[in-house]
Amino acid sequence: MTQEHATSDDAPTGNHDASASTDDGTNLSVYRERRLAEVQHLRDRGVNPYPYRFDRSHTLGELRASHGNLAAGSETTDTVAVCGRVMLKRDQGKLIFITIRDRSDEIQLFVSKAVVGDAEFDAINAFDMGDWVGARGLVMTTRKGELSVKVSEVQLLAKSLRPMPDKWHGLADVDTRFRQRYADLIVNHDARRTFEIRHAVIASVRRTLGARGYVEVETPVLHAEAGGAHARPFVTHHNALDLQLYLRIALELHLKRLIVGGMERVFEIGRVFRNEGISPRHNPEFTMLESYEAFADYDDIMQLTQDIIVNAARDALGTTTIDIGGAPYDLTTPWPRKRMIDLASEKVGRELHPSQSVDSVRKVASDNGVKWEPHWGSGRIIEEIFAEKAEAELLTPTFVTCHPVEISPLARVHRDDPHLTERFELFVQARELANGFSELNDPVEQRARFEAEQRAKEAGDATAGTVDEDYLRALEFGLPPTGGLGVGIDRLTMLIAGVSSIREVILFPTLRPEADE
RNA sequence: GCCCCUCUAGCUCAGUUGGUUAGAGCAACGGACUCUUAAUCCGCAGGUCCUCGGUUCGAAUCCGAGGGGGGGCACCA
C-alpha cells in the first residue's frame, strides 16, 4: 500500500526518489523510499509532516522533576504537553510504549488504543524511531512505576527518513561519529556529556574572569602578520584589498594593545589556526583562552590559572577531583612550580643554564641523546633537553617556570636572572595546558627580540616570528606591568571530561572531505 | 611526510589453513500480543565484503597500488 504511494505519488518528491533508488538499490534507499512514501501518505491525508511549532508545557526534565516521585500505578489529572525524538518503541498490540527524548531527559509515552481510538492509534504506530513528536496527555506511572504520559494526542513534528544507528550499541565507528556528529549526539550519551562539559567549562571560565573584573573582547582573526606564537599559519587572501592575510595563530598581540589602551583586564575565547600536523592532541583550528591583567605578574597569573581550572572542574563535574593516569587527583592541591632549567639539569645530572656556552650545552645534549639544530642557542637546546627528558613525567599539574629568554620572545626577563624569563607553562598528563608570563613591556627590548626572531626566520625557522611594527608602536605608548595567560580550552575540556582525543571535544574536527557524491 | 593497524547489511559484529549460495543481533518489513523497559514470539527481506589491478580451478580471506579512519613518529606545544 505504501509502496504504491511511493511509485505513483512521486511528482513532488521525484528528486528524492531518483537519488534514493536509481543508482544504489540498497537497503538504505529502500528504507528512505518507504519513509518518503509515509511522508506523502500523511500529506495526502492533510497532515503536515513538518509542522511549524509545538507548545510545550514541560521539558522532560521538568516533568520528571515535578512528578518523579509518583508511586507506581498512579494516574494524575495533570495535563502536559511534551515533545522529543522517538528513541524506542514497544508495540504491545493495543498498547504502545514510546520512549521520547529531549535534551533534558527521556520519558515514556503510554498509548492505549482504547484512549486514542483506532485511527489515531494507527497513526501513532506509524511513527518511526528518530521522528520528532509532540504529545499531550495525563501524567501517570505504570504498574512497574515508569513515569509516563498517557497520551490523548500525538503529533508528528518532523519525520526522520534515515534509520537510527543501533539502539543498543550506538554508533562506534569513529569516522562516522566525527563526520556525522548529529548521529553521534543522537545515540551516544558520552558524546552529549562531553559537549555539556565543554559548555560548562567555557561558561565557568567566563564567570571566573568576569568576577575578577575582566572584560571579554573580540579581536581580528585575519592578520597581516601571524604573531604571538611559534607556529605555521594558514594563508588566505582578501580580494578587494588584494592582500595576503594569515589566520591568527594566537590572540596575544591584539589583547596587549588593549591593555596599552587602558582596558586593564581583558580576555578572549577564540579560534586560532595552526597549519600543522593533526594528532590526538592537535586540531588545525582550536579554541584558546587568553587573558591579560594590568599590574599583575606571572606569579599572580599562576594563581589565576589554577583558580580558573579548579572552578571549571567544579562547575562542570561538581567535584574538583579528576582522574589522572588512573588515580584520583584533587585539583585544589597546590601545584608545584619547577624551573625548566632545574628539571632539565636533574635529568642530565649537570647544572644547565642559558648563560653557558652553546658548545658546552650542545655537548650535554649530545651526551644524553638529545638532538639539536645548528641555529639553536643554549636556551633552545635546554628546552629540548627538558622536552625530551622531563616533560613526559609531568602527569599531575605542574608549573614549569623561568624559560630561557631565547624561546620566549614576548616574556619579560626574570627580575633576578637576565638569561631567564618570568614565564610558566602548566603541564598536565605530559601535555601543555596553559602558558603565561609577565609581559615584556619595554619597547626597545621588544624590538630587539622581534629582530632576533626575524633573523631566525630568515635562517630557516618557519615558525619564528617577524617584527610587528604596530605592536611596537603600541608598546611605545606604554604597556603597564601586565600578567598574561593562554589556555587551550580543548585540552582543558579533555582533562575535565576525561577523554584522550581532541576530536572528542571538538564538534566537527578537521577531516579529509568525504569522497564521492 | 614516514611506519603500523583497520574498513563485511542502515547500525554493532562473526566469517577457520583460500573452498559451494558471505552469517548473526538490532533496525526495517508482514503477523500475534492492553503495563512494556534493548519487550517477546512467528515470518520475510536486505550485501560494490572501501576501490582498482594481480595470483589461483576458486579471493571477504593472499599480493600490489590507491582511498577513508585510528595509533605512533616527525612537524608542532
Side-chain angles (χ1 to χ4, degrees), chain A residues 104-116:
Chain A
S104 66
D105 207 340
E106 295 182 349
I107 287 287
Q108 173 171 281
L109 303 182
F110 181 99
V111 184
S112 165
K113 196 165 195 169
V115 172
V116 299

Side-chain angles (χ1 to χ4, degrees), chain A residues 243-464:
Chain A
L243 185 63
Q244 175 169 288
L245 292 169
Y246 301 92
L247 302 187
R248 64 184 174 188
I249 58 172
L251 316 176
E252 172 142 5
L253 296 179
H254 280 101
L255 293 178
K256 284 197 281 194
R257 284 171 169 93
L258 300 178
I259 303 297
V260 169
M263 293 183 74
E264 292 196 7
R265 295 183 183 197
V266 297
F267 77 96
E268 178 168 6
I269 295 172
R271 203 71 60 84
V272 299
F273 306 84
R274 297 186 181 179
N275 204 340
E276 285 151 4
I278 295 178
S279 84
R281 292 160 292 283
H282 301 265
N283 196 64
E285 50 180 309
F286 62 100
T287 301
M288 281 271 283
L289 159 71
E290 287 197 29
S291 68
Y292 294 87
E293 177 173 334
F295 318 120
D297 67 8
Y298 79 135
D299 194 64
D300 301 309
I301 301 304
M302 276 188 270
Q303 190 55 55
L304 171 65
T305 303
Q306 185 165 1
D307 290 347
I308 287 172
I309 293 172
V310 166
N311 289 345
R314 187 184 290 120
D315 291 343
L317 302 175
T319 173
T320 58
T321 300
I322 62 169
D323 180 280
I324 294 182
Y329 179 88
D330 184 352
L331 291 167
T332 61
T333 310
W335 298 346
R337 302 176 181 191
K338 295 180 177 169
R339 295 197 305 174
M340 179 180 281
I341 57 170
D342 296 334
L343 288 166
S345 299
E346 264 175 48
K347 287 295 166 188
V348 297
R350 282 194 49 165
E351 279 305 307
L352 288 168
H353 195 275
S355 61
Q356 294 162 347
S357 74
V358 179
D359 285 342
S360 68
V361 179
R362 280 176 179 173
K363 183 170 185 313
V364 173
S366 297
D367 289 348
N368 287 275
V370 175
K371 291 181 186 151
W372 43 266
E373 303 272 338
H375 61 273
W376 290 358
S378 304
R380 176 69 183 84
I381 298 171
I382 291 170
E383 182 198 30
E384 190 67 14
I385 294 170
F386 159 78
E388 288 293 318
K389 298 292 180 183
E391 191 178 305
E393 294 172 17
L394 301 177
L395 296 181
T396 56
T398 306
F399 288 113
V400 175
T401 65
C402 302
H403 301 53
V405 173
E406 181 186 348
I407 58 166
S408 311
L410 296 160
R412 190 166 187 164
V413 165
H414 197 281
R415 62 196 78 180
D416 300 323
D417 185 334
H419 296 97
L420 303 180
T421 56
E422 298 201 354
R423 179 180 176 190
F424 70 88
E425 287 178 301
L426 173 65
F427 282 85
V428 187
Q429 291 174 322
R431 294 196 280 261
E432 182 201 347
L433 199 59
N435 181 21
F437 32 88
S438 301
E439 302 294 334
L440 175 57
N441 64 348
D442 176 340
V444 176
E445 188 181 345
Q446 182 68 74
R447 177 176 292 280
R449 302 261 198 108
F450 275 159
E451 286 171 350
E453 285 279 300
Q454 182 91 51
R455 283 194 296 278
K457 192 180 196 74
E458 285 159 6
D461 183 350
T463 68

